[in-house]
Amino acid sequence: MPIYRIADLNVEVNPKFKICRKRLESYAVKSNESGKTDIAISVSDDEIRERLRLSDNLSEQGAEDVLILSKFCNAVLDGFDGFFFHSSCLELDGEGYVFSAVSGTGKSTHTALWRRHFGNRVTMINDDKPVIRKCDGKFYAYGTPWMGKADIGTNTKAPVKAVYILQRSEENTAVRVLPSQVMKQLLEATVIDVERSRMEKLLELLDEFFKDTPLFLLGCNMDESAVMTAYNAANGG
């Protein structure tokens, strides 16, 4: 069974369809170097059929891809102090900056401005579906094989410096907020199972995460000056 190293975890999965096998390629490890399996994922034909029944715009390949992602995220939440966070995430000078917003708000456009402003100091971790995980007392943003339509990301990680909830504005502003003030947006950005145990675990992790990680409501336009507004808020500028 193929082994993939995702978020510092050995994930055993053997997709039926090419789309997911191709997606996972850059995360593959040699079987004699992988060590123990942390997460084993399988997707049945019945599960694919049920997923297709719930969505009219998925192919069988797409349904398998969604199911593998969902099972991986649930396993990380259940046993490895981590959670999926729908966002565009980058690394700058060894630190991770995470930008979340509803689709179409411009989070990918905003991180593109960071790449333009800081040049090769920026590495994109993941433009759509990173995982945030606590390891050795720190929370890290990890790249995953699921990178959104633009397919922008890297198999890397960085300790999270700050999280931003984006909203469009004519003026650039960054205001530090409590998680309770933007809880709706935070929960919409995560994969939440209906099981109560998972909801409780997720809320505990979010509470721990934001004890030490600043959270900002970022009003921004599409001007490059929005980059320094965000950067200075997290770095005391």
Side-chain angles (χ1 to χ4, degrees), residues 92-159:
L92 171 68
D93 298 339
E95 297 178 309
Y97 296 80
V98 181
F99 302 87
S100 186
V102 297
S103 296
T105 301
K107 59 184 182 296
S108 295
T109 301
H110 182 76
T111 52
L113 292 175
W114 282 62
R115 299 200 301 274
R116 182 191 303 170
H117 186 85
F118 290 109
N120 60 12
R121 288 169 60 189
V122 169
T123 298
M124 286 300 298
I125 296 174
N126 191 287
D127 195 37
D128 195 55
K129 296 178 176 67
V131 160
I132 294 174
R133 186 172 167 233
K134 182 183 178 184
C135 294
D136 299 324
K138 291 183 179 181
F139 281 91
Y140 291 83
Y142 286 87
T144 73
W146 299 272
M147 296 179 285
K149 294 178 181 178
D151 206 32
I152 298 172
T154 312
N155 187 359
T156 190
K157 68 178 180 181

Short mmCIF file of all heavy atoms in Angstrom, two decimals, residues 92-159:
data_model
loop_
_atom_site.label_atom_id
_atom_site.label_comp_id
_atom_site.label_asym_id
_atom_site.label_seq_id
_atom_site.Cartn_x
_atom_site.Cartn_y
_atom_site.Cartn_z
N LEU A 92 6.82 33.29 5.35
CA LEU A 92 7.71 34.42 5.12
C LEU A 92 8.74 34.44 6.24
O LEU A 92 8.40 34.49 7.42
CB LEU A 92 6.93 35.74 5.12
CG LEU A 92 7.76 37.02 5.11
CD1 LEU A 92 8.51 37.18 3.79
CD2 LEU A 92 6.89 38.25 5.38
N ASP A 93 10.01 34.36 5.87
CA ASP A 93 11.11 34.39 6.84
C ASP A 93 10.91 33.37 7.95
O ASP A 93 11.13 33.65 9.14
CB ASP A 93 11.25 35.80 7.42
CG ASP A 93 11.58 36.84 6.37
OD1 ASP A 93 12.09 36.47 5.30
OD2 ASP A 93 11.31 38.04 6.61
N GLY A 94 10.45 32.18 7.57
CA GLY A 94 10.33 31.09 8.53
C GLY A 94 9.06 31.07 9.36
O GLY A 94 8.93 30.23 10.25
N GLU A 95 8.12 31.97 9.07
CA GLU A 95 6.88 32.04 9.84
C GLU A 95 5.67 31.97 8.91
O GLU A 95 5.71 32.44 7.77
CB GLU A 95 6.83 33.31 10.68
CG GLU A 95 7.93 33.39 11.72
CD GLU A 95 7.90 34.68 12.51
OE1 GLU A 95 7.85 35.75 11.89
OE2 GLU A 95 7.95 34.62 13.77
N GLY A 96 4.58 31.39 9.42
CA GLY A 96 3.39 31.18 8.61
C GLY A 96 2.34 32.25 8.84
O GLY A 96 2.06 32.64 9.98
N TYR A 97 1.75 32.71 7.76
CA TYR A 97 0.65 33.69 7.80
C TYR A 97 -0.54 33.05 7.09
O TYR A 97 -0.42 32.60 5.94
CB TYR A 97 1.06 34.99 7.11
CG TYR A 97 2.19 35.71 7.81
CD1 TYR A 97 3.53 35.33 7.63
CD2 TYR A 97 1.94 36.78 8.67
CE1 TYR A 97 4.57 35.98 8.27
CE2 TYR A 97 2.97 37.45 9.32
CZ TYR A 97 4.28 37.04 9.12
OH TYR A 97 5.31 37.69 9.76
N VAL A 98 -1.68 33.05 7.77
CA VAL A 98 -2.86 32.32 7.30
C VAL A 98 -4.00 33.29 7.04
O VAL A 98 -4.37 34.07 7.93
CB VAL A 98 -3.28 31.26 8.34
CG1 VAL A 98 -4.49 30.47 7.86
CG2 VAL A 98 -2.12 30.31 8.66
N PHE A 99 -4.58 33.22 5.84
CA PHE A 99 -5.63 34.15 5.43
C PHE A 99 -6.88 33.37 5.05
O PHE A 99 -6.86 32.57 4.10
CB PHE A 99 -5.17 35.00 4.25
CG PHE A 99 -3.91 35.78 4.53
CD1 PHE A 99 -2.66 35.21 4.31
CD2 PHE A 99 -3.98 37.07 5.02
CE1 PHE A 99 -1.50 35.91 4.57
CE2 PHE A 99 -2.82 37.79 5.29
CZ PHE A 99 -1.58 37.21 5.07
N SER A 100 -7.97 33.61 5.77
CA SER A 100 -9.21 32.90 5.50
C SER A 100 -10.31 33.89 5.12
O SER A 100 -10.33 35.03 5.58
CB SER A 100 -9.65 32.10 6.73
OG SER A 100 -10.77 31.31 6.44
N ALA A 101 -11.22 33.43 4.27
CA ALA A 101 -12.35 34.25 3.84
C ALA A 101 -13.30 33.36 3.06
O ALA A 101 -12.91 32.28 2.59
CB ALA A 101 -11.89 35.42 2.96
N VAL A 102 -14.53 33.79 2.91
CA VAL A 102 -15.44 33.05 2.06
C VAL A 102 -14.94 33.11 0.63
O VAL A 102 -14.23 34.04 0.23
CB VAL A 102 -16.88 33.63 2.15
CG1 VAL A 102 -17.42 33.50 3.56
CG2 VAL A 102 -16.91 35.09 1.70
N SER A 103 -15.27 32.08 -0.14
CA SER A 103 -14.81 32.02 -1.53
C SER A 103 -15.22 33.26 -2.31
O SER A 103 -16.34 33.74 -2.18
CB SER A 103 -15.38 30.77 -2.21
OG SER A 103 -14.89 29.60 -1.60
N GLY A 104 -14.28 33.78 -3.08
CA GLY A 104 -14.55 34.96 -3.89
C GLY A 104 -14.21 36.28 -3.24
O GLY A 104 -14.28 37.33 -3.87
N THR A 105 -13.79 36.24 -1.96
CA THR A 105 -13.45 37.48 -1.26
C THR A 105 -12.10 38.02 -1.70
O THR A 105 -11.87 39.22 -1.71
CB THR A 105 -13.46 37.25 0.26
OG1 THR A 105 -14.76 36.81 0.65
CG2 THR A 105 -13.13 38.54 1.01
N GLY A 106 -11.17 37.12 -2.03
CA GLY A 106 -9.88 37.57 -2.54
C GLY A 106 -8.68 37.14 -1.72
O GLY A 106 -7.64 37.79 -1.77
N LYS A 107 -8.79 36.03 -0.98
CA LYS A 107 -7.65 35.61 -0.17
C LYS A 107 -6.46 35.21 -1.03
O LYS A 107 -5.31 35.52 -0.71
CB LYS A 107 -8.04 34.48 0.79
CG LYS A 107 -8.58 33.21 0.16
CD LYS A 107 -9.01 32.22 1.23
CE LYS A 107 -9.51 30.93 0.62
NZ LYS A 107 -10.74 31.13 -0.19
N SER A 108 -6.72 34.54 -2.15
CA SER A 108 -5.62 34.16 -3.05
C SER A 108 -5.02 35.40 -3.71
O SER A 108 -3.80 35.47 -3.91
CB SER A 108 -6.11 33.19 -4.12
OG SER A 108 -6.52 31.97 -3.53
N THR A 109 -5.86 36.36 -4.04
CA THR A 109 -5.36 37.62 -4.60
C THR A 109 -4.48 38.34 -3.58
O THR A 109 -3.43 38.90 -3.94
CB THR A 109 -6.53 38.53 -5.01
OG1 THR A 109 -7.34 37.84 -5.96
CG2 THR A 109 -6.03 39.83 -5.62
N HIS A 110 -4.88 38.31 -2.32
CA HIS A 110 -4.11 38.98 -1.28
C HIS A 110 -2.73 38.32 -1.11
O HIS A 110 -1.72 39.01 -1.02
CB HIS A 110 -4.87 38.98 0.04
CG HIS A 110 -4.15 39.70 1.14
ND1 HIS A 110 -4.10 41.08 1.21
CD2 HIS A 110 -3.42 39.24 2.19
CE1 HIS A 110 -3.39 41.44 2.28
NE2 HIS A 110 -2.97 40.33 2.88
N THR A 111 -2.69 36.98 -1.04
CA THR A 111 -1.39 36.33 -0.87
C THR A 111 -0.51 36.50 -2.11
O THR A 111 0.71 36.53 -2.00
CB THR A 111 -1.56 34.83 -0.53
OG1 THR A 111 -2.42 34.21 -1.48
CG2 THR A 111 -2.13 34.66 0.86
N ALA A 112 -1.13 36.68 -3.27
CA ALA A 112 -0.34 36.99 -4.47
C ALA A 112 0.36 38.34 -4.32
O ALA A 112 1.48 38.53 -4.79
CB ALA A 112 -1.23 36.98 -5.71
N LEU A 113 -0.30 39.27 -3.62
CA LEU A 113 0.33 40.57 -3.35
C LEU A 113 1.54 40.41 -2.44
O LEU A 113 2.55 41.11 -2.59
CB LEU A 113 -0.67 41.52 -2.72
CG LEU A 113 -1.84 41.99 -3.59
CD1 LEU A 113 -2.81 42.85 -2.77
CD2 LEU A 113 -1.34 42.79 -4.79
N TRP A 114 1.48 39.49 -1.49
CA TRP A 114 2.63 39.21 -0.63
C TRP A 114 3.79 38.68 -1.46
O TRP A 114 4.94 39.07 -1.25
CB TRP A 114 2.26 38.20 0.46
CG TRP A 114 1.49 38.78 1.61
CD1 TRP A 114 0.27 39.37 1.56
CD2 TRP A 114 1.90 38.82 2.98
NE1 TRP A 114 -0.12 39.78 2.81
CE2 TRP A 114 0.86 39.45 3.71
CE3 TRP A 114 3.02 38.38 3.67
CZ2 TRP A 114 0.91 39.65 5.08
CZ3 TRP A 114 3.08 38.56 5.06
CH2 TRP A 114 2.05 39.19 5.74
N ARG A 115 3.50 37.80 -2.41
CA ARG A 115 4.56 37.26 -3.25
C ARG A 115 5.18 38.35 -4.11
O ARG A 115 6.39 38.38 -4.33
CB ARG A 115 4.01 36.12 -4.14
CG ARG A 115 3.46 34.96 -3.34
CD ARG A 115 3.36 33.68 -4.16
NE ARG A 115 2.53 33.77 -5.34
CZ ARG A 115 1.21 33.60 -5.35
NH1 ARG A 115 0.57 33.37 -4.21
NH2 ARG A 115 0.53 33.67 -6.47
N ARG A 116 4.35 39.26 -4.58
CA ARG A 116 4.87 40.38 -5.38
C ARG A 116 5.71 41.30 -4.51
O ARG A 116 6.79 41.76 -4.93
CB ARG A 116 3.71 41.15 -6.01
CG ARG A 116 4.17 42.31 -6.90
CD ARG A 116 3.02 43.22 -7.27
NE ARG A 116 1.94 42.48 -7.94
CZ ARG A 116 0.75 43.01 -8.19
NH1 ARG A 116 0.47 44.25 -7.82
NH2 ARG A 116 -0.18 42.29 -8.80
N HIS A 117 5.26 41.58 -3.29
CA HIS A 117 5.93 42.55 -2.42
C HIS A 117 7.24 41.99 -1.86
O HIS A 117 8.26 42.70 -1.85
CB HIS A 117 5.01 42.94 -1.28
CG HIS A 117 5.54 44.04 -0.42
ND1 HIS A 117 5.38 45.38 -0.73
CD2 HIS A 117 6.25 44.02 0.75
CE1 HIS A 117 5.95 46.12 0.21
NE2 HIS A 117 6.50 45.32 1.11
N PHE A 118 7.22 40.75 -1.38
CA PHE A 118 8.39 40.19 -0.71
C PHE A 118 9.23 39.28 -1.61
O PHE A 118 10.31 38.84 -1.20
CB PHE A 118 7.96 39.41 0.53
CG PHE A 118 7.45 40.27 1.65
CD1 PHE A 118 6.09 40.27 1.96
CD2 PHE A 118 8.29 41.08 2.39
CE1 PHE A 118 5.59 41.05 3.01
CE2 PHE A 118 7.82 41.86 3.42
CZ PHE A 118 6.46 41.86 3.74
N GLY A 119 8.76 39.00 -2.80
CA GLY A 119 9.54 38.21 -3.74
C GLY A 119 9.83 36.81 -3.24
O GLY A 119 8.97 36.13 -2.68
N ASN A 120 11.09 36.37 -3.43
CA ASN A 120 11.43 34.99 -3.09
C ASN A 120 11.57 34.73 -1.60
O ASN A 120 11.91 33.62 -1.19
CB ASN A 120 12.71 34.55 -3.83
CG ASN A 120 13.92 35.42 -3.48
OD1 ASN A 120 13.89 36.20 -2.54
ND2 ASN A 120 14.98 35.28 -4.27
N ARG A 121 11.29 35.73 -0.76
CA ARG A 121 11.21 35.48 0.68
C ARG A 121 9.94 34.72 1.03
O ARG A 121 9.83 34.16 2.12
CB ARG A 121 11.25 36.81 1.46
CG ARG A 121 12.61 37.49 1.46
CD ARG A 121 12.52 38.91 2.00
NE ARG A 121 12.02 38.97 3.36
CZ ARG A 121 11.67 40.10 3.99
NH1 ARG A 121 11.77 41.26 3.34
NH2 ARG A 121 11.24 40.08 5.23
N VAL A 122 8.98 34.71 0.11
CA VAL A 122 7.69 34.05 0.35
C VAL A 122 7.66 32.68 -0.31
O VAL A 122 8.07 32.51 -1.46
CB VAL A 122 6.52 34.90 -0.21
CG1 VAL A 122 5.22 34.10 -0.20
CG2 VAL A 122 6.36 36.17 0.60
N THR A 123 7.19 31.69 0.44
CA THR A 123 6.86 30.38 -0.10
C THR A 123 5.40 30.11 0.18
O THR A 123 4.96 30.23 1.33
CB THR A 123 7.72 29.28 0.55
OG1 THR A 123 9.09 29.51 0.27
CG2 THR A 123 7.32 27.90 0.02
N MET A 124 4.65 29.75 -0.83
CA MET A 124 3.25 29.38 -0.62
C MET A 124 3.18 27.99 0.01
O MET A 124 3.70 27.02 -0.54
CB MET A 124 2.47 29.41 -1.93
CG MET A 124 2.16 30.79 -2.43
SD MET A 124 1.16 31.81 -1.28
CE MET A 124 -0.34 30.83 -1.18
N ILE A 125 2.56 27.91 1.17
CA ILE A 125 2.35 26.61 1.82
C ILE A 125 1.17 25.90 1.17
O ILE A 125 1.27 24.74 0.79
CB ILE A 125 2.14 26.80 3.33
CG1 ILE A 125 3.41 27.38 3.96
CG2 ILE A 125 1.77 25.47 4.00
CD1 ILE A 125 3.27 27.74 5.43
N ASN A 126 0.06 26.60 1.06
CA ASN A 126 -1.12 26.04 0.42
C ASN A 126 -2.10 27.17 0.15
O ASN A 126 -2.35 28.00 1.02
CB ASN A 126 -1.76 24.98 1.31
CG ASN A 126 -2.83 24.18 0.59
OD1 ASN A 126 -3.91 24.69 0.32
ND2 ASN A 126 -2.53 22.92 0.27
N ASP A 127 -2.66 27.18 -1.05
CA ASP A 127 -3.53 28.28 -1.44
C ASP A 127 -5.01 28.03 -1.13
O ASP A 127 -5.84 28.88 -1.42
CB ASP A 127 -3.37 28.55 -2.95
CG ASP A 127 -3.95 29.89 -3.37
OD1 ASP A 127 -3.83 30.87 -2.60
OD2 ASP A 127 -4.53 29.97 -4.46
N ASP A 128 -5.33 26.89 -0.53
CA ASP A 128 -6.75 26.60 -0.31
C ASP A 128 -7.04 25.70 0.88
O ASP A 128 -7.95 25.96 1.65
CB ASP A 128 -7.34 25.97 -1.57
CG ASP A 128 -8.85 25.97 -1.57
OD1 ASP A 128 -9.44 27.06 -1.42
OD2 ASP A 128 -9.45 24.89 -1.73
N LYS A 129 -6.25 24.63 1.07
CA LYS A 129 -6.61 23.63 2.06
C LYS A 129 -5.41 23.17 2.90
O LYS A 129 -5.04 21.99 2.88
CB LYS A 129 -7.27 22.43 1.39
CG LYS A 129 -8.60 22.74 0.71
CD LYS A 129 -9.17 21.51 0.03
CE LYS A 129 -10.54 21.80 -0.56
NZ LYS A 129 -10.49 22.76 -1.68
N PRO A 130 -4.80 24.07 3.67
CA PRO A 130 -3.75 23.64 4.58
C PRO A 130 -4.34 22.94 5.81
O PRO A 130 -5.54 23.01 6.07
CB PRO A 130 -3.06 24.95 4.98
CG PRO A 130 -4.16 25.95 4.91
CD PRO A 130 -5.03 25.52 3.76
N VAL A 131 -3.48 22.28 6.54
CA VAL A 131 -3.83 21.71 7.84
C VAL A 131 -3.01 22.42 8.89
O VAL A 131 -1.82 22.70 8.69
CB VAL A 131 -3.55 20.19 7.86
CG1 VAL A 131 -3.41 19.67 9.29
CG2 VAL A 131 -4.65 19.43 7.14
N ILE A 132 -3.64 22.76 10.00
CA ILE A 132 -2.94 23.35 11.15
C ILE A 132 -2.87 22.29 12.23
O ILE A 132 -3.89 21.69 12.60
CB ILE A 132 -3.65 24.61 11.63
CG1 ILE A 132 -3.56 25.70 10.56
CG2 ILE A 132 -3.03 25.12 12.94
CD1 ILE A 132 -4.35 26.95 10.87
N ARG A 133 -1.67 22.06 12.76
CA ARG A 133 -1.47 20.96 13.69
C ARG A 133 -0.50 21.35 14.79
O ARG A 133 0.50 22.02 14.54
CB ARG A 133 -0.94 19.75 12.92
CG ARG A 133 -0.83 18.50 13.74
CD ARG A 133 -0.48 17.27 12.91
NE ARG A 133 -0.11 16.24 13.85
CZ ARG A 133 1.02 15.54 13.83
NH1 ARG A 133 1.90 15.75 12.86
NH2 ARG A 133 1.29 14.65 14.74
N LYS A 134 -0.81 20.91 16.00
CA LYS A 134 0.07 21.17 17.14
C LYS A 134 1.10 20.06 17.24
O LYS A 134 0.78 18.88 17.34
CB LYS A 134 -0.75 21.22 18.43
CG LYS A 134 0.08 21.53 19.67
CD LYS A 134 -0.78 21.49 20.92
CE LYS A 134 0.06 21.75 22.17
NZ LYS A 134 -0.75 21.62 23.40
N CYS A 135 2.38 20.46 17.21
CA CYS A 135 3.49 19.52 17.35
C CYS A 135 4.53 20.13 18.28
O CYS A 135 4.95 21.27 18.09
CB CYS A 135 4.13 19.22 16.00
SG CYS A 135 3.06 18.32 14.87
N ASP A 136 4.91 19.37 19.30
CA ASP A 136 5.93 19.82 20.25
C ASP A 136 5.58 21.18 20.85
O ASP A 136 6.45 22.05 21.02
CB ASP A 136 7.31 19.88 19.59
CG ASP A 136 7.76 18.51 19.08
OD1 ASP A 136 7.46 17.51 19.76
OD2 ASP A 136 8.40 18.45 18.02
N GLY A 137 4.30 21.38 21.15
CA GLY A 137 3.87 22.59 21.82
C GLY A 137 3.64 23.79 20.93
O GLY A 137 3.24 24.85 21.41
N LYS A 138 3.88 23.65 19.61
CA LYS A 138 3.67 24.75 18.68
C LYS A 138 2.66 24.36 17.61
O LYS A 138 2.55 23.19 17.25
CB LYS A 138 4.99 25.14 17.98
CG LYS A 138 6.02 25.79 18.87
CD LYS A 138 7.23 26.20 18.03
CE LYS A 138 8.29 26.89 18.88
NZ LYS A 138 9.47 27.30 18.05
N PHE A 139 1.94 25.36 17.10
CA PHE A 139 1.01 25.12 16.00
C PHE A 139 1.69 25.48 14.68
O PHE A 139 2.21 26.58 14.52
CB PHE A 139 -0.26 25.95 16.19
CG PHE A 139 -1.23 25.36 17.17
CD1 PHE A 139 -1.16 25.71 18.52
CD2 PHE A 139 -2.18 24.43 16.76
CE1 PHE A 139 -2.05 25.16 19.43
CE2 PHE A 139 -3.06 23.88 17.67
CZ PHE A 139 -3.01 24.24 19.02
N TYR A 140 1.64 24.51 13.75
CA TYR A 140 2.26 24.68 12.44
C TYR A 140 1.19 24.63 11.35
O TYR A 140 0.20 23.89 11.47
CB TYR A 140 3.27 23.56 12.16
CG TYR A 140 4.51 23.60 13.01
CD1 TYR A 140 4.52 23.06 14.30
CD2 TYR A 140 5.67 24.19 12.54
CE1 TYR A 140 5.66 23.09 15.09
CE2 TYR A 140 6.83 24.23 13.31
CZ TYR A 140 6.81 23.68 14.58
OH TYR A 140 7.95 23.72 15.36
N ALA A 141 1.40 25.40 10.30
CA ALA A 141 0.59 25.29 9.09
C ALA A 141 1.33 24.36 8.13
O ALA A 141 2.52 24.55 7.86
CB ALA A 141 0.37 26.65 8.45
N TYR A 142 0.62 23.36 7.63
CA TYR A 142 1.21 22.36 6.75
C TYR A 142 0.60 22.43 5.35
O TYR A 142 -0.62 22.59 5.21
CB TYR A 142 0.95 20.95 7.28
CG TYR A 142 1.76 20.54 8.47
CD1 TYR A 142 1.34 20.82 9.77
CD2 TYR A 142 2.96 19.83 8.32
CE1 TYR A 142 2.08 20.42 10.87
CE2 TYR A 142 3.71 19.43 9.42
CZ TYR A 142 3.26 19.73 10.69
OH TYR A 142 4.00 19.33 11.79
N GLY A 143 1.44 22.23 4.36
CA GLY A 143 0.91 22.03 3.03
C GLY A 143 0.25 20.67 2.93
O GLY A 143 0.62 19.73 3.64
N THR A 144 -0.74 20.56 2.05
CA THR A 144 -1.38 19.28 1.76
C THR A 144 -1.49 19.13 0.24
O THR A 144 -1.32 20.11 -0.50
CB THR A 144 -2.81 19.18 2.36
OG1 THR A 144 -3.70 20.01 1.60
CG2 THR A 144 -2.83 19.61 3.83
N PRO A 145 -1.79 17.93 -0.23
CA PRO A 145 -1.92 17.75 -1.69
C PRO A 145 -3.13 18.46 -2.29
O PRO A 145 -3.21 18.58 -3.52
CB PRO A 145 -2.06 16.22 -1.84
CG PRO A 145 -1.48 15.65 -0.59
CD PRO A 145 -1.81 16.64 0.48
N TRP A 146 -4.04 18.92 -1.45
CA TRP A 146 -5.25 19.58 -1.95
C TRP A 146 -5.03 21.08 -1.92
O TRP A 146 -5.02 21.71 -0.86
CB TRP A 146 -6.45 19.17 -1.10
CG TRP A 146 -6.69 17.68 -1.17
CD1 TRP A 146 -7.45 17.02 -2.09
CD2 TRP A 146 -6.16 16.67 -0.30
NE1 TRP A 146 -7.43 15.67 -1.86
CE2 TRP A 146 -6.64 15.42 -0.76
CE3 TRP A 146 -5.31 16.70 0.83
CZ2 TRP A 146 -6.30 14.22 -0.14
CZ3 TRP A 146 -4.98 15.50 1.44
CH2 TRP A 146 -5.48 14.28 0.95
N MET A 147 -4.86 21.69 -3.09
CA MET A 147 -4.37 23.07 -3.16
C MET A 147 -5.30 24.02 -3.90
O MET A 147 -4.90 25.13 -4.23
CB MET A 147 -2.98 23.08 -3.79
CG MET A 147 -1.93 22.35 -2.96
SD MET A 147 -0.29 22.33 -3.71
CE MET A 147 -0.49 21.11 -5.01
N GLY A 148 -6.52 23.60 -4.19
CA GLY A 148 -7.45 24.49 -4.86
C GLY A 148 -7.26 24.51 -6.37
O GLY A 148 -6.41 23.82 -6.94
N LYS A 149 -8.07 25.33 -7.03
CA LYS A 149 -8.08 25.36 -8.50
C LYS A 149 -6.74 25.79 -9.10
O LYS A 149 -6.33 25.31 -10.15
CB LYS A 149 -9.18 26.31 -8.97
CG LYS A 149 -10.59 25.83 -8.65
CD LYS A 149 -11.62 26.83 -9.11
CE LYS A 149 -13.02 26.36 -8.76
NZ LYS A 149 -14.06 27.35 -9.17
N ALA A 150 -6.05 26.70 -8.42
CA ALA A 150 -4.78 27.19 -8.96
C ALA A 150 -3.63 26.22 -8.72
O ALA A 150 -2.56 26.37 -9.31
CB ALA A 150 -4.44 28.55 -8.35
N ASP A 151 -3.85 25.23 -7.83
CA ASP A 151 -2.84 24.21 -7.56
C ASP A 151 -1.52 24.82 -7.11
O ASP A 151 -0.44 24.49 -7.60
CB ASP A 151 -2.62 23.35 -8.81
CG ASP A 151 -2.12 21.95 -8.47
OD1 ASP A 151 -2.49 21.44 -7.40
OD2 ASP A 151 -1.35 21.37 -9.27
N ILE A 152 -1.62 25.73 -6.14
CA ILE A 152 -0.44 26.43 -5.62
C ILE A 152 -0.15 25.95 -4.20
O ILE A 152 -1.01 26.05 -3.31
CB ILE A 152 -0.65 27.95 -5.60
CG1 ILE A 152 -0.87 28.48 -7.02
CG2 ILE A 152 0.54 28.66 -4.96
CD1 ILE A 152 -1.28 29.94 -7.06
N GLY A 153 1.03 25.43 -3.98
CA GLY A 153 1.40 24.99 -2.64
C GLY A 153 2.71 24.22 -2.65
O GLY A 153 3.27 23.92 -3.70
N THR A 154 3.17 23.89 -1.45
CA THR A 154 4.45 23.22 -1.26
C THR A 154 4.33 22.22 -0.13
O THR A 154 3.61 22.46 0.84
CB THR A 154 5.56 24.25 -0.90
OG1 THR A 154 5.50 25.35 -1.80
CG2 THR A 154 6.94 23.61 -0.97
N ASN A 155 5.04 21.13 -0.24
CA ASN A 155 5.08 20.14 0.84
C ASN A 155 6.04 20.63 1.91
O ASN A 155 7.20 20.24 1.97
CB ASN A 155 5.53 18.78 0.29
CG ASN A 155 5.44 17.68 1.32
OD1 ASN A 155 5.06 17.91 2.47
ND2 ASN A 155 5.79 16.47 0.93
N THR A 156 5.54 21.54 2.74
CA THR A 156 6.38 22.17 3.76
C THR A 156 5.52 22.56 4.95
O THR A 156 4.30 22.31 4.97
CB THR A 156 7.09 23.42 3.18
OG1 THR A 156 8.08 23.88 4.10
CG2 THR A 156 6.10 24.53 2.88
N LYS A 157 6.12 23.18 5.97
CA LYS A 157 5.39 23.64 7.14
C LYS A 157 6.06 24.88 7.69
O LYS A 157 7.23 25.16 7.39
CB LYS A 157 5.34 22.55 8.22
CG LYS A 157 6.70 22.25 8.85
CD LYS A 157 6.59 21.20 9.95
CE LYS A 157 7.96 20.91 10.57
NZ LYS A 157 7.89 19.87 11.63
N ALA A 158 5.33 25.62 8.52
CA ALA A 158 5.88 26.79 9.20
C ALA A 158 5.06 27.05 10.45
O ALA A 158 3.84 26.88 10.44
CB ALA A 158 5.86 28.02 8.29
N PRO A 159 5.71 27.46 11.53
CA PRO A 159 4.95 27.84 12.74
C PRO A 159 4.09 29.05 12.43
O PRO A 159 4.53 29.99 11.77
CB PRO A 159 6.04 28.16 13.76
CG PRO A 159 7.25 28.50 12.95
CD PRO A 159 7.16 27.67 11.71
#
